[in-house]
Amino acid sequence: MATIQGTAVAPGLALGPVHMVRAHTGVVPIWTIAGGDVEAEVERLEAALTEAQGQLGRQRDLVQEASGSQDAEIFSLHRMVLQDPSALDTVQRKILDERINAEGAVQALIDQLHQKLAGLEGANVRQPASDMSDPWRLVLDVLLQREREELGATEERVVLAAAELTPQVVTFMERTRILAIITERGGRFSHGAVLARSFGIPCVVGLQNLLARLERNMQVAVDGDVGTIELRPDKDAVDQFIERRRLRTLRREVLDKHAMEPAVTPDGTRVSVMVNLESMRDLDTFDVRHSDGTGLLRTEFLYMERSQFPSEEEQFRMYRRVVDAMEGRPVIIRTLDIGGDKPLSYFQTPPEANPALGWRGLRVTLEWQDLFRVQLRAIMRASAHGDLRVLLPMVTSLEEVEASHEIFDGVRAQLVGQGYEVADQIPVGIMIEVPSSVWILDQLIEIVDFVSVGTNDLTQYLLAVDRDNPFVEKLYQPLHPAMLRVLSHVAKVTKAAGKSCSVCGEVAADDAVAILLVGMGYDALSVAPNFLADLRFAIRQTTLVEAQDLAQRALAARSSQDVRALMAEAHKRLHRDLAGDEAGVSAPS
Ligand code: PEP
Ligand code: MG
């Protein structure tokens, strides 16, 4: 049994066999093969090698038929490379001696070939070198593809392990089959983390040398509350784990029982607790009556799930589905926020040195207005069926909002002209996630209907800390005193203008932080479905006066650490109220 400490990203407890995700991470992970399994691993390699050779033979025949033998020669050459006994021996020995997976051993050979090549001078030797490694890349592809097919053939629920937490890892397989996700790297506020929380999948990142310590099907206990994992837990550890999970489930049941009750503080302040959605499937994961509406529909994920741009009709149907599902509650649809770490596979843009500072969000849609218009048409058509609002991402200036309004008005006029029904009022709000928008908010607020603070990006842009870069993870502090001042400023300016302000970034999901935000004056919070009940409960437990006092004390703090200590204190109070009876839980008052 071994415990590894990492960083908690999504709460929850899980226990089960581990499965290493090899594909779609951009990195080929290496891990240890159990002693008794090395022969089988060599057989996996040999089978992949045979299949790769077969593929090359078929390609050669096809090309020969189409354009003659000279063009087909390259495939014969590649087949010969794979028949080289010394290369095969190197890979086999690596598996047997070092007990690593076939993918890792093949990757090592590819690296070795590249190194050899780099040692040789002259451009004329480059071509043969890539010829030497290309066929081995094909073997790697075959291994990765087979793994996916094998996994797809079973019903087993697994703990997914990967080198890095990316949106691709979180969507690697059917979400109900993922017990938990554990990775070596990944930011707590990256989009992979956002998805894990949204899907309710316990997740721990920052686990050093994780993959090298895992073996296929090894039992792993994952604690997404504190950020630890236990490899091969013994019987006592499993018993304790199961007991903790039982208590956790009981707490959830109690919270869920009261989750219909609105979030009103004991002294009468009502707060909207709304839900963040990324996918149509999210609609099946919670009871809409536990929420006061959808505070953020991240539409880019709807685009990312597809292999081409969704049509107006398709988008209309999706937005309409959300509006219908929310049964009259407001639905805030954020316009496309692609770019940065949310690329669209079918929308190739030139590589950027600093994607987070580059072509992202509103910058893309204002440039590619056709894209914007199609989405706005779909949104406006859906507006006839419910309380629909629009949210613009990555706003940095007045001009951007004015330009959006102009496009918006044009689209509305066109739709009405074509006989479509469009709601009379479609409130338009902006995300506050870039510091420039904070300092011109007094002007912006005059031309928008509401604001929603995206603390995930605001933290990265205010503190100059990449939300996805593990090297600066410690510096990524959403509760930094500068962040708190900005948050308080935004609430004050918005309230003074008589408009609504919410926070839809991940910090709001922490119940103590939610109280702090209410104390600052936020009237709405939007969180992943999993956290709705906790937030409503926390707000019902805290008077506005107490929340304001917490906000005052936090604003006076001199470091993120001091703010976190205050939050820990508030957290204890909120959670103590539920720990009482013999089961470890008592009903909230
Ligand atoms: C944010 O930046 O806080 C936010 C809600 O948007 P996203 O996480 O999708 O960038
Ligand atoms: Mg953002």
Side-chain angles (χ1 to χ4, degrees), residues 200-468:
I201 302 172
C203 180
V204 179
V205 301
L207 297 157
Q208 289 189 356
N209 298 323
L210 171 70
L211 297 171
R213 300 168 78 169
L214 295 176
E215 288 174 8
R216 200 185 167 95
N217 289 328
M218 180 191 270
Q219 283 290 309
V220 182
V222 181
D223 187 332
D225 295 344
V226 297
T228 55
I229 66 163
E230 200 93 62
L231 307 183
R232 288 204 190 87
D234 59 22
K235 188 177 173 314
D236 282 353
V238 169
D239 288 348
Q240 273 178 24
F241 192 85
I242 290 172
E243 176 59 10
R244 281 188 51 219
R245 199 165 55 184
R246 190 181 70 82
L247 291 177
R248 208 176 184 286
T249 309
L250 280 177
R251 178 185 151 89
R252 279 243 69 82
E253 281 169 6
V254 174
L255 286 182
D256 283 349
K257 212 158 72 194
H258 294 267
M260 301 271 192
E261 296 161 24
V264 182
T265 65
D267 45 358
T269 296
R270 178 154 189 159
V271 181
S272 287
V273 175
M274 305 176 91
V275 68
N276 289 350
L277 301 176
E278 277 85 42
S279 160
M280 290 298 113
R281 280 171 298 179
D282 290 347
L283 290 171
D284 306 326
T285 63
F286 70 105
D287 184 332
V288 293
R289 294 168 301 176
H290 295 181
S291 79
D292 297 299
T294 297
L296 172 67
L297 174 63
R298 287 182 164 98
T299 57
E300 57 279 4
F301 286 101
L302 306 177
Y303 284 61
M304 286 163 78
E305 284 176 353
R306 282 162 177 70
S307 53
Q308 57 186 28
F309 282 109
S311 65
E312 176 187 324
E313 209 48 44
E314 201 181 343
Q315 288 189 61
F316 165 69
R317 281 200 300 272
M318 289 194 287
Y319 304 148
R320 168 94 202 256
R321 233 187 100 197
V322 180
V323 167
D324 287 348
M326 295 311 293
E327 297 170 351
R329 295 170 185 83
V331 173
I332 299 177
I333 300 189
R334 184 172 73 183
T335 61
L336 194 57
D337 185 23
I338 43 166
D341 69 334
K342 292 184 284 192
L344 284 183
S345 56
Y346 49 89
F347 184 57
Q348 296 293 330
T349 52
E352 296 175 277
N354 289 306
L357 302 182
W359 217 43
R360 242 201 93 170
L362 197 57
R363 298 169 185 185
V364 175
T365 41
L366 284 179
E367 191 86 23
W368 285 66
Q369 294 193 6
D370 287 351
L371 214 62
F372 201 19
R373 286 202 179 88
V374 169
Q375 183 172 38
L376 288 177
R377 278 180 65 90
I379 293 175
M380 282 191 207
R381 283 175 54 196
S383 75
H385 302 274
D387 179 351
L388 200 148
R389 306 168 190 187
V390 175
L391 182 59
L392 305 172
M394 286 291 291
V395 169
T396 64
S397 70
L398 273 172
E399 296 94 298
E400 286 166 341
V401 181
E402 283 162 355
S404 304
H405 279 325
E406 215 176 295
I407 297 171
F408 203 84
D409 292 344
V411 170
R412 175 192 279 278
Q414 187 191 44
L415 280 172
V416 172
Q418 291 169 341
Y420 285 104
E421 198 188 331
V422 179
D424 289 340
Q425 294 293 326
I426 305 178
V428 177
I430 51 170
M431 295 281 295
I432 299 291
E433 50 187 351
V434 181
S436 61
S437 67
V438 174
W439 304 115
I440 54 165
L441 186 57
D442 55 327
Q443 296 171 323
L444 285 167
I445 201 70
E446 287 173 8
I447 58 167
V448 299
D449 299 303
F450 65 96
V451 306
S452 190
V453 185
T455 48
N456 307 338
D457 277 315
L458 188 57
T459 305
Q460 95 166 335
Y461 296 129
L462 189 67
L463 304 184
V465 182
D466 186 340
R467 68 194 264 190
D468 291 315

